Amino acid sequence: TVTASQGPILNLSDITIGAGGVTFDNLTLTNSVVGTAIRLSNVDGGVFNGGIVSIGSASGSGILITNDGSATFNFGDVTMGQTLSPSIRISNAVTGTVNFNGTTSLTSFDSSSVRLSGAVAGPVNFADLDINLVTDNTTGIDLSGTTLNGNLTIDDFELTSTSATGTVGIDLTGTTGSGTAQIGDAVVGGANDANISGVNDGVLFSSTTNVNLVFGDGENATDVDSSISAVTPINDNGTGLPASGSYDFDDVTLTGDTSNLEAISVYYIDQINGGTGSATNPGTISGAEASTANVYVLLDTNIDGASDSIDASVQDTGSLNLPDDAALIAYNSGSTAIDVTTLGLSPGGAPA
């Protein structure tokens, strides 16, 4: 056990842990420290067990793991007060496994609660991560600009914010890599989920984001209790949503402004009166005009070798009124796919 009142708890740099490992029952800072409370820089070798961690406040980070550390880092329950730098920071080519095996409870007054930066190749695992944002312009989990080649796994995730001014639940702007961020229990029917509430942006992307994200367990059937409640639940930084990567929000209830996620809506019209407007049950001109679709597709569903006409005087008032920012396309036998974005339409929708 290490207890400090007004100074760093632990500063390990450029060491190799032996086969027996290093184990602490408790690492405690009762008041505050100028700088970082626990700093583990270029720590290689065996297993570091940090035990139960309690940090009052720090002008730097609470826990910093950095500079090519390849050891295995284990922590039990973690509680932190105010830090002026990210509460937990993992950066600069860390290749070891980092495990937070208990309940991690963070309150962010400045900066971010969890920050991964640079290249992170080793897995980072949280059993239970609870974040409370209490000031403007703070972020829960900040992966912006990170190359995530290891997996970030958070079995149980709860983030609340008392401010919706500039706050972000998860920042993925410019995040790349082959790893997966699994936020919420991946076990189908599991007891844990993922929830974000009170922030301005729930999950923030950029056009250059290219990574894998699963929010919730991703199966959209058994347990669908994950949620994002924000001014804008899924947003981008002004550059557009990502064109690459994989983003799974199947289990998530989104509350807030989701107008930026409205996808292209298609209504199919054929020469037969009636139908719902689907590809398998085409509708009429009047049905299309009454719908919210922004793409009308004309079909000849009578396969007899001859062309049929769609009579607007029978299906409507003699004309077809095409809304602003909409497109009219038609298919004949042998037609190839039509990319409606070449017609000026944006696909929108949650990044996938």
Side-chain angles (χ1 to χ4, degrees), residues 118-187:
V120 178
V124 179
N125 305 305
F126 288 86
D128 183 356
L129 177 59
D130 300 326
I131 293 174
N132 184 23
L133 305 181
V134 297
T135 55
D136 300 347
N137 305 311
T138 50
T139 298
I141 300 174
D142 187 356
L143 303 180
S144 61
T146 302
T147 302
L148 185 68
N149 288 329
N151 294 334
L152 169 63
T153 302
I154 304 173
D155 284 342
D156 191 354
F157 178 58
E158 303 291 331
L159 182 148
T160 60
S161 177
T162 59
S163 171
T165 302
T167 48
V168 179
I170 301 174
D171 189 344
L172 293 175
T173 56
T175 308
T176 59
S178 59
T180 296
Q182 171 73 54
I183 314 298
D185 191 348
V187 177

Side-chain angles (χ1 to χ4, degrees), residues 113 188 323:
S113 292
V188 176

